[in-house]
Amino acid sequence: IACYSAKNPGRVIALITFTSITLLTVGIFTNFHVVTRNQELFTPIGSLSEIHQDWIENESNYAESPYFTSITVHSGGENVLSVEGVSRVFQSWNAIKALKKYDRVCGSNKEKDCRLISVTDFWSHNSSIFMEQIATDDDKE
């Protein structure tokens, strides 16, 4: 596409102009209009939809939606998989587990277990095992 556009700029401009006018004409004849008023875009307060949402969230006793959290650990351009980098990941995970409401969200029962996708999975998310196996950044033979 880029090569054709560079060799034939007039044809490309004509095609874009024709396509734009065609789409505009189709939009006009199909009663297309852009909605920008808040009253038309959002659910009115006290509507049946809002009442249903309130019932689902507060009264139904359905399981809560899972929380998604993403944490990015960087090391200022250095190797993030160094002992220091992985230790930071363990520190972040331990800080999350130490939060007051962590047990409510990620309790001990199987339905509320938090799924962690991380480099720490290699050591079963256990920093003690990591420190036993990897003490320094030096390769061991």
Side-chain angles (χ1 to χ4, degrees):
I1 293 176
C3 290
Y4 183 80
S5 298
K7 292 178 183 176
N8 303 298
R11 288 183 182 176
V12 173
I13 291 171
L15 179 65
I16 290 172
T17 304
F18 174 75
T19 304
S20 300
I21 291 171
T22 304
L23 290 174
L24 180 65
T25 306
V26 169
I28 289 171
F29 287 113
T30 58
N31 294 325
F32 174 79
H33 67 282
V34 178
V35 177
T36 58
R37 292 181 45 220
N38 288 347
Q39 293 81 2
E40 295 177 31
L41 286 174
F42 302 110
T43 306
I45 295 172
S47 68
L48 191 57
S49 307
E50 189 177 73
I51 293 169
H52 288 168
Q53 179 184 3
D54 182 57
W55 182 84
I56 289 170
E57 290 177 354
N58 300 318
E59 298 175 30
S60 65
N61 292 326
Y62 291 139
E64 290 184 25
S65 298
Y67 295 100
F68 176 78
T69 302
S70 177
I71 297 174
T72 303
V73 177
H74 66 86
S75 125
E78 299 299 320
N79 182 4
V80 75
L81 292 176
S82 65
V83 173
E84 180 187 352
V86 177
S87 294
R88 281 193 216 161
V89 175
F90 276 113
Q91 289 170 359
S92 302
W93 182 236
N94 291 336
I96 291 170
K97 290 193 291 188
L99 293 173
K100 292 178 186 177
K101 295 184 181 180
Y102 173 79
D103 288 334
R104 241 177 53 187
V105 177
C106 298
S108 59
N109 64 20
K110 295 206 179 222
E111 291 177 5
K112 288 189 173 183
D113 273 349
C114 282
R115 197 174 87 196
L116 176 64
I117 301 171
S118 169
V119 67
T120 61
D121 191 29
F122 188 75
W123 297 279
S124 302
H125 309 295
N126 187 328
S127 59
S128 301
I129 296 173
F130 168 72
M131 291 311 289
E132 285 175 14
Q133 292 179 352
I134 312 292
T136 67
D137 287 329
D138 298 332
D139 289 335
K140 295 180 182 178
E141 292 185 30

